[in-house]
Amino acid sequence: MEAVPAGVPLFPMRRPCPFGLPAAYAEMREHAPVRRARLAGGSLVWLVSRYEDIRALLGDARLSSDRSRPGFPSLDSETAQLATVPVFLGMDAPDHLAHRRMFLSEFLPRQVDELRPFVQSCVDGHLDRMVAQGPSADLVTSLAMPVPALTIGRILGAPEGALPRLEQLSVAALTHRGTEAFEELFNFVREIADDAAASPASAGAGMIGRVLREYVAAGQLEMWSMLATVFVILLAGYETTAHMISLGVLTLLHHPEQLTAVRRHPELVPQAVEELLRFLSVGELAAVRIAAEDIELRGTTIRAGDGVVLLGAAGNRDPRVFEDPERFDVHRSPGRHLAFGHGPHACIGARVARLELTVVLTTLLERLPGLRLAQRIPHDAVDYEAVLFGLKRLEVTW
């Protein structure tokens, strides 16, 4: 293992609060935009913190997403396990695009737009339940987690009768984590796939049945690869959006003048969603790569085999791109934020996430005009240690 130079910081760096970024991000961005850091296991990575550098590198074929490459940086045990999972997120061209296209149809604009009535129904139903059991509730388990879980279940093609179980398993996996919770969720996906494979003619609409018919049956994709990819899409499809819902509501409640503006002008909600995505950057640590070739960047040589972390959160607050970037402002013109990445590996579910966030915030603010925090956010309610930043609970009242 490469020796760790003196003064190299430990990474990931802890956020000071739900809305703030590590102070080192601004210092790096200005004075050391390409700098070394060490992971908990001792290995070294390069941190890239300026917007234009991050955006350029996300489209640079010299950076590899192939997690099976020796030395690929792992931020925690869960991401380390992805090294053995054959999914397009961990592939490079040309395999990446070929596999990505197999799972893309359900995320095209028309298909996503057709999801709106379903998402609205989910939001209405869970708000009905929350209000009936109120007047206080944990917004995380009552709304923020269930809606994305049910939406991604619909996309995957889970039978209507199985959706309540999917909701239960998803909330358990995100709340408790642990191997057992994730195994139960994976087994749920496998059951749906097994049923669809056993009766392909009767398999309903959705990604699982379609991919089985079009690619697995044709011998273009192995069943295990399909299951692994669907499972990763399921996790990514609900966890990031669930965190954005709860953190988004908390952010609005902590900025009353911005909340008032959105209440008075609901047409601002889509713009507010973009600003929340920029401001919060819950998936800031998703852009982890390894250099396949030497790369010269701002006088620094990133050697082939070096790990690289592209700090999207730091880029999303780069004053070279965003005026007064530390300020949360729902009137900000929708910008080129990096919340969904950029380039070939940009998030395929971005349109779904935007739809869910827009429907949730619009409905929540309309139905609960007195929405407010029930108590001060306790320190242990914030998941500071997670790769995907979020809240474990959010007690609200109305």
Side-chain angles (χ1 to χ4, degrees):
M1 183 178 293
E2 186 178 351
V4 179
V8 171
L10 183 66
F11 186 82
M13 300 172 184
R14 191 181 181 90
R15 295 192 184 204
C17 69
F19 318 110
L21 300 181
Y25 281 17
E27 187 275 333
M28 282 191 295
R29 199 171 48 227
E30 296 308 309
H31 305 293
V34 186
R35 72 156 304 167
R36 282 297 216 185
R38 62 184 176 89
L39 304 182
S43 60
L44 293 173
V45 295
W46 291 102
L47 303 181
V48 180
S49 52
R50 286 189 184 173
Y51 178 95
E52 68 173 290
D53 296 336
I54 296 168
R55 188 177 170 93
L57 288 173
L58 284 170
D60 194 325
R62 294 174 298 174
L63 277 187
S64 172
S65 296
D66 184 355
R67 290 169 172 80
S68 67
R69 283 180 179 263
F72 195 97
S74 298
L75 302 181
D76 63 9
S77 59
E78 290 178 20
T79 56
Q81 292 173 5
L82 290 176
T84 61
V85 179
V87 299
F88 64 81
L89 280 73
M91 297 177 181
D92 296 327
D95 292 340
H96 166 259
L97 182 57
H99 280 75
R100 179 184 171 103
R101 282 175 173 164
M102 295 180 186
F103 298 90
L104 193 59
S105 295
E106 286 71 26
F107 298 105
L108 296 176
R110 183 173 64 83
Q111 281 74 12
V112 173
D113 291 345
E114 290 175 353
L115 278 172
R116 182 178 287 272
F118 177 81
V119 175
Q120 186 67 64
S121 175
C122 289
V123 174
D124 289 340
H126 281 79
L127 271 179
D128 288 344
R129 195 175 311 151
M130 191 175 92
V131 170
Q133 296 173 353
S136 63
D138 173 15
L139 194 77
V140 172
T141 54
S142 297
L143 186 68
M145 288 184 182
V147 171
L150 294 173
T151 302
I152 195 65
R154 180 66 168 248
I155 290 171
L156 297 182
E160 196 74 27
L163 288 177
R165 182 174 169 227
L166 172 61
E167 176 186 342
Q168 179 185 19
L169 292 174
S170 299
V171 171
L174 194 54
T175 304
H176 306 300
R177 295 197 174 272
T179 303
E180 184 176 345
F182 284 104
E183 283 181 354
E184 287 190 43
L185 192 55
F186 181 80
N187 288 335
F188 175 85
V189 171
R190 182 161 52 190
E191 288 172 17
I192 296 173
D194 288 344
D195 290 344
S199 305
S202 60
M207 179 186 293
I208 292 176
R210 180 187 61 78
V211 173
L212 280 170
R213 291 190 298 270
E214 295 180 4
Y215 298 105
V216 177
Q220 298 180 42
L221 185 69
E222 294 183 0
M223 183 70 162
W224 161 240
S225 184
M226 189 210 72
L227 287 173
T229 304
V230 166
F231 185 61
V232 170
I233 289 173
L234 170 61
L235 293 178
Y238 83 85
E239 185 168 3
T240 51
T241 308
H243 289 327
M244 274 302 307
I245 291 171
S246 54
L247 278 170
V249 171
L250 178 62
T251 302
L252 286 167
L253 293 177
H254 267 260
H255 296 81
E257 73 289 351
Q258 304 293 319
L259 176 60
T260 298
V262 176
R263 286 193 187 280
R264 289 178 178 173
H265 304 282
E267 68 275 11
L268 278 176
V269 170
Q271 198 162 308
V273 165
E274 296 304 317
E275 175 66 349
L276 286 166
L277 288 164
R278 180 198 72 84
F279 190 70
L280 296 170
S281 301
V282 300
E284 64 154 324
L285 304 182
V288 178
R289 304 285 191 268
I290 189 169
E293 303 175 25
D294 288 359
I295 300 173
E296 296 291 332
L297 182 62
R298 300 198 180 276
T300 297
T301 301
I302 299 174
R303 300 289 183 188
D306 285 352
V308 181
V309 181
L310 306 172
L311 293 175
N316 280 338
R317 298 199 187 185
D318 191 333
R320 296 164 187 80
V321 180
F322 305 98
E323 184 179 355
D324 195 7
E326 298 297 327
R327 177 171 53 89
F328 173 67
D329 182 6
V330 299
H331 296 93
R332 191 186 300 275
S333 297
R336 304 166 295 158
H337 63 71
L338 301 167
F340 295 117
H342 177 68
H345 283 81
C347 176
I348 64 173
R351 194 177 184 93
V352 176
R354 287 182 166 108
L355 169 64
E356 293 174 270
L357 287 164
T358 299
V359 172
V360 167
L361 291 179
T362 301
T363 310
L364 186 64
L365 297 182
E366 177 184 332
R367 290 191 54 180
L368 300 180
L371 185 70
R372 61 192 184 277
L373 293 179
Q375 60 180 31
R376 187 173 181 177
I377 301 296
H379 182 77
D380 63 0
V382 185
D383 202 353
Y384 286 108
E385 311 302 327
V387 170
L388 292 177
F389 183 72
L391 298 177
K392 297 177 184 178
R393 60 186 183 276
L394 179 64
E395 297 293 333
V396 295
T397 189
W398 51 91

